[in-house]
Amino acid sequence: MSRGFICGNADMTNPTNWPNPERPGVEITLLGGHKCIIDEDKYDLVSPYNWTAMKRGDHIYARAKVKDGGKHKVLLMHRLITSAPKGMVVDHINRNTSDNRMRNLRICTQQQNCMNRLANKNTPSGIKGISWDKERSKWYAVIKLNQKNIFLGRFEDFDKAKEARINAEIRLFGQYAPSEIRNLGAAP
């Protein structure tokens, strides 16, 4: 595992998903060449392991294989750093799974973690929870909470449907709404 300090020289092609240059950390090069960043005070915690990149969907996670009672288990760096208890998940607040600094990690439920997602790249409207109702020729807005879809309305104007969805995310998801949504401040 290679160690190097990051002081703001990260590729900033997508600033919302790259480490903040004003908050340096330690860059870890995983086996295979992928990199992640951790807080300097966590280096001794993660350094005993051989970290590799694990791809899950569009995300890369740092993982190590460890023996536990004769069995091989997968150890995820973000879970090690946060000491996440079984049954809880670790949310990467900025959705950059290579940013394993404590300020970017929070222990939460699976539902809360799902709240911090943007639309799937295949979503026709480009906005999560908004689709076109062909029968009525209107935009349909919905949000999911506690395993239930909550109907937000049908709208002739796409921007009104988007506003309804943003307001619902801020109101219902609170701190777990994606930062891009929270920063819009659309809800009263």
Side-chain angles (χ1 to χ4, degrees):
M1 174 172 68
S2 114
R3 172 184 178 170
F5 288 94
I6 277 193
C7 294
N9 296 325
D11 177 0
M12 294 298 287
T13 54
N14 189 351
T16 60
N17 286 338
W18 280 100
N20 184 333
E22 296 172 12
R23 298 179 179 153
V26 177
E27 184 180 83
I28 305 292
T29 301
L30 310 175
L31 295 174
H34 289 283
K35 296 180 187 302
C36 69
I37 185 171
I38 62 170
D39 293 309
E40 187 175 357
D41 66 341
K42 300 298 182 187
Y43 183 79
D44 289 339
L45 177 66
V46 304
S47 63
Y49 303 96
N50 290 320
W51 297 99
T52 62
M54 177 180 77
K55 188 165 175 62
R56 207 183 270 168
D58 292 337
H59 301 288
I60 302 284
Y61 294 90
R63 74 158 185 196
K65 289 185 180 175
V66 295
K67 273 193 176 181
D68 184 19
K71 294 182 181 180
H72 285 329
K73 288 190 171 184
V74 172
L75 176 66
L76 297 173
M77 185 183 288
H78 59 278
R79 293 191 65 80
L80 174 66
I81 288 171
T82 59
S83 301
K86 211 172 197 165
M88 298 296 282
V89 298
V90 179
D91 182 27
H92 288 81
I93 298 167
N94 68 6
R95 290 179 310 286
N96 176 355
T97 55
S98 296
D99 185 351
N100 288 319
R101 295 173 296 169
M102 285 300 292
R103 71 179 52 83
N104 186 48
L105 303 175
R106 61 183 166 200
I107 297 171
C108 61
T109 66
Q110 181 63 42
Q111 176 176 291
Q112 291 164 331
N113 190 37
C114 289
M115 291 174 182
N116 186 22
R117 288 188 182 164
L118 296 177
N120 182 305
K121 61 186 169 192
N122 298 324
T123 302
S125 72
I127 305 289
K128 183 169 66 169
I130 299 177
S131 53
W132 181 249
D133 182 341
K134 289 180 186 177
E135 287 182 26
R136 294 183 174 93
S137 295
K138 291 185 178 183
W139 291 100
Y140 179 90
V142 64
I143 193 165
K144 192 171 197 165
L145 185 67
N146 297 325
Q147 310 279 327
K148 294 181 181 163
N149 283 327
I150 300 168
F151 175 70
L152 302 173
R154 285 188 181 82
F155 305 87
E156 291 183 18
D157 180 48
F158 175 78
D159 288 334
K160 295 288 184 191
K162 182 177 171 183
E163 182 180 341
R165 173 64 194 210
I166 289 169
N167 283 333
E169 283 193 38
I170 292 169
R171 189 176 68 254
L172 299 173
F173 295 174
Q175 69 176 342
Y176 296 100
S179 59
E180 296 85 350
I181 300 296
R182 289 192 320 272
N183 292 339
L184 293 173

